Amino acid sequence: MTAAKTLVCFTLFFFAHLTNAQSLTFTKDDTLRGSITPQRAWWDLTFYHLKVKVNPADKSISGSNEIQYTVLYPGNVLQIDLQPPLHLERAEQDGQILEATQQGRNAYFIALKKEQPKGSRQSLTVWYSGIPQAARNAPWDGGFSWEVEDAGQPFIATSCQGLGASVWWPCKDHAYDEPDSQAISVTVPNDLTDVSNGRLRRVTNNGDGTHTFDWFVANPINNYGVNVNIARYAHIADTFQGEKGLLSLDYYVLPQNLEKAKLQFQQVKLMLTAFEHWFGPYPFYEDGYKLVQVPYLGMEHQSSVTYGNRFMNGYLGRDLSGTGWGMKWDYIIVHESGHEWFANNITYRDIADMWIHEGFTNYSEALYTEYYFGKQAGTDYIKGLRGIIRNTSPIVGTHGVNSEGSPDMYPKGANLLHTIRQIVDDDEKWRSILRGLNRDFYHQTVYGTQVEDYITQHSGKKLQKVFDQYLRNSSIPILEYTIKKGRLKYHWVNCIDGFDMPVKVTLSPGKNEFIYPTTKWKSSRCKLPNKDDFQVEESFYVVARRL
Ligand SMILES: [Zn+2]
């Protein structure tokens, strides 16, 4: 997901949400949605076949979802999530109608009749229909976007992170469990095209004024990444020679934008080159890479990345970092595609750890800038983002209740990663850690602590207090210091107990070297002729205060 339109309004939206969250007591619906309930835990999702018919005329949808799973241990009640005003009509297993009882606002418990032996593979189908929630502020507050493009034709799309995929299709609406593959069949009027995730297998004319697009995703996919995009699309095909061979590139835009897209989307290959360098091969060669124009800003839908940045550089023509570097590239192409690695390849198990997605992807913008414009440009970009960090609440949210953390997860998450890179103090090792994360957590869902542990182990650095400080607290450490008679005295304040982050400072003219402050005063020799020349290396996201 992109950082919001004007960070101010975004932050207001989020802070409103956050202040509530801080003071909010979570509801039964939050727990049903956000936790691995007993009715979810006993079965392992393996496959979905979602079939949906979209009726632009009355903004209704109807369809079914075939759900295949493996039994981990015997259970007889299975939870499926679907949000009103959509309605679950029927559930069947092996031709037997099953009773589905609504739990709270958004969940159904389906009572199974058949025995579910451990290790057995089972399948169940549910049918549903209704008028789905219309998006109020896509992609941040999603649902179905029912728009009309400037040639007067329907321009329809889905977005649903946070709100949940169950806003438009019945599924196991928790991030921890993904299908190993998924089929998506979308029926639309004959004069429109549907573009969804993965590869198009066939188009079937139904002889009733509609046709059906059968898409197939050959890889695990997070449910908020599943999407439909419907319009009179024009298509551009291309290829990229990447680390895993030839990668197909497909772009779907409104016909009136074809020439602009041909120009602007040349940045896709630049992005793939830079990100394969930093993160390893694009994670979905089997499904290809796509950019699909939609009536909202953009979103990281796997192998169907959506685009609404009006074919211009920056973030709708502006640079969020204020340094000018953000105007050198298209924010949506770079940011949303960065999510193919951090969000779609490595996915949070709980939305409370959404920094795994947004912190790394915000950081990927700086790495893209560094790749093409040099290391200093990357550093300037990341420093520029500090202006939009609020530090009013922690980046990590509340687990088990579908509650994400502070929007600082973007710029502060990125600055945390850049700070850790300085502590690692070995750029090749740092790159191998970023590539290693994508190799060793390939197509997995993970907790934030697993990522923290991985970086700690592979860097060989003590980082626990660093992660605790920047992820679970909202104050920024202050390095308090004095310089007297050639001695630098220093300690950390405004931080958690035991905070012990090493930091690079100038102890002699033009030379940065590590000191190892703690919350207790320490001292080191300082050969600076002028105290004002003392500084902390700029890539560390800390504050320095001379007493
Ligand atoms: Zn994002």
Side-chain angles (χ1 to χ4, degrees), residues 208 261 356 524:
D208 61 357
I356 302 170
S524 301

Side-chain angles (χ1 to χ4, degrees), residues 418-436:
H418 196 57
T419 296
I420 291 174
R421 174 181 173 176
Q422 313 314 312
I423 299 169
V424 172
D425 198 27
D426 177 339
D427 283 355
E428 263 319 294
K429 181 185 262 186
W430 180 241
R431 186 166 79 97
S432 76
I433 289 172
L434 296 174
R435 293 175 65 92

Side-chain angles (χ1 to χ4, degrees), residues 461-511:
K461 304 290 178 185
K462 265 182 63 194
L463 296 171
Q464 190 54 55
K465 291 293 179 185
V466 176
F467 284 121
D468 289 346
Q469 178 68 47
Y470 287 90
L471 293 176
R472 286 171 276 275
N473 279 273
S474 52
S475 64
I476 293 304
I478 299 173
L479 184 72
E480 240 177 19
Y481 70 96
T482 65
I483 300 177
K484 282 194 190 90
K485 300 186 188 106
R487 298 287 310 168
L488 169 74
K489 281 183 70 180
Y490 50 87
H491 70 158
W492 287 123
V493 294
N494 198 40
C495 58
I496 58 175
D497 290 346
F499 186 65
D500 58 356
M501 184 170 81
V503 67
K504 262 189 181 174
V505 300
T506 44
L507 289 176
S508 47
K511 194 163 163 264

